[in-house]
Amino acid sequence: MINLFERFDRPSLDFLRSQVIAKIKIPTVAMYDDGFLPENIDSPIQYFCKLGGNKKPLYFDQLPVPEFWRIDANGSKASVFDMNRRRANIFFSATNNSRLVKEVQWLDSYGKVAWIDHYDQHGQRFAKTIYSSGRAVSRKYFDNRGRLVLTWNLIADDLFLHTGLEQRHFASYVDFICYYLNVRHYNLDHVFINTLNKSLAVVLRLKPDGEDTIFWHEATGKDLPGNMKFVMENKTRVKHIVFQRFEDWQRRVEFLPEDTGNVDFRYLGIIYPHPRSNQLRANALIFTNSDQIEHLDDLVKMLPNVHFNIAAITEMSSKLMAFQDYPNVDLYPVVKPNRVKQLINDCDIYFDINHGNEILDSVRGAFEQNMLILGFKNTLHQPQLVAAENIFDPNNTTGMAQQVLTALVQPRKMKKLIDEQRLVASDMKIEDYKKVLGALINE
């Protein structure tokens, strides 16, 4: 049995972390490796390229550049300049806030991407993607000595694996993954996948004597995806489809036929860590890198007894700095990690009302700390973590303010809102999770 993820993204992390919290140990493979996989995740790139070691990650100002070139950086990315000419863009790993190099996009004389150097968490350049006419055409992977290991034609999708004196050709990346799984001698009797793309293609190529499960975390509309219908209508290794979104499972009669064919459908949510409960403190938190915060002025005035903590990882504009004149507002420009932790621990209300990108995975952090999360329809960053009754029309600032006041003075109301928030997010108790997943494993 293995978990087979295409990429180790947030849904994959949630699924694996739930297993870990429930003390269910299953080997895990990521088909695509971005260089920053956790240590307990295997990948064909790590295996064939022999990546790893004890070297430190590459900090942005340690990137080798020609003499007299310079590197300019801010909190989100950096650039390489030759005098006033931009030569490259540096992108940081999203797994931390330390400005560690993940990708370097080198530019041609027209300012277009010529190639990308990919770095891993050990500071090693392990891959290079070549561009032509603005399109990625090929990618090369290297071992820890810089020797070519894998050449991938991104247009035709075929690959050449260079192993010592031998060279193997694979007609597709799916074929390459199937070869890797067999070389590693994984037990493939039951494969857990959470996408309907390449990972499904892999399990459909395996020997037919297995029994596999699809864990479906994406929102479902009025109809099921075509690949899901395929496994329902055809005899394949896929025997189970598990919905992970509680709201979709509740409305399953809208899109599931009475006869589900060759698969059965079940529900399994997510185990979220909740290190503390909501303590009904009138402390509110906003993380933002923009001064475009919907109706902030109105909320600050309507809620004079609520203390607003507004933090950014960059400098703040004069427009936002003007809010320091309010007695119930504290501003934290260029906020430090220790202060971020303190703010998360000290606040029980989170306003998801800033326009622009979400920073510091703030809504997720607020949810796991059982803060009451409120937002406007046009500002939500992670709507799957916000209960419907806490999402307001931009014209209804009064309604949002009243919701906060009521929750702070009525513990039962706050508990109800937090419970609903967790239910909408598909939060699940450990014992229930173990029961459902254990039944799948033991069938």
Side-chain angles (χ1 to χ4, degrees), residues 312-332:
I313 58 176
T314 60
E315 296 287 349
M316 291 181 174
S317 69
S318 57
K319 175 183 176 181
L320 197 51
M321 290 300 294
F323 279 89
Q324 64 187 343
D325 294 336
Y326 289 95
N328 62 328
V329 176
D330 275 337
L331 301 177
Y332 300 93

Side-chain angles (χ1 to χ4, degrees), residues 334-386:
V334 197
V335 66
K336 302 300 182 184
N338 287 340
R339 176 67 69 178
V340 170
K341 292 179 181 179
Q342 180 183 339
L343 290 172
I344 290 174
N345 288 332
D346 292 347
C347 296
D348 283 320
I349 306 291
Y350 189 86
F351 287 107
D352 186 19
I353 59 175
N354 63 293
H355 292 277
N357 295 332
E358 178 188 19
I359 63 170
L360 301 175
D361 203 13
S362 54
V363 180
R364 171 60 72 101
F367 173 82
E368 293 185 355
Q369 296 290 328
N370 283 317
M371 294 188 207
L372 179 64
I373 305 172
L374 308 100
F376 293 110
K377 293 179 180 178
N378 59 334
T379 61
L380 296 177
H381 294 92
Q382 297 195 51
Q384 74 279 9
L385 300 178
V386 187

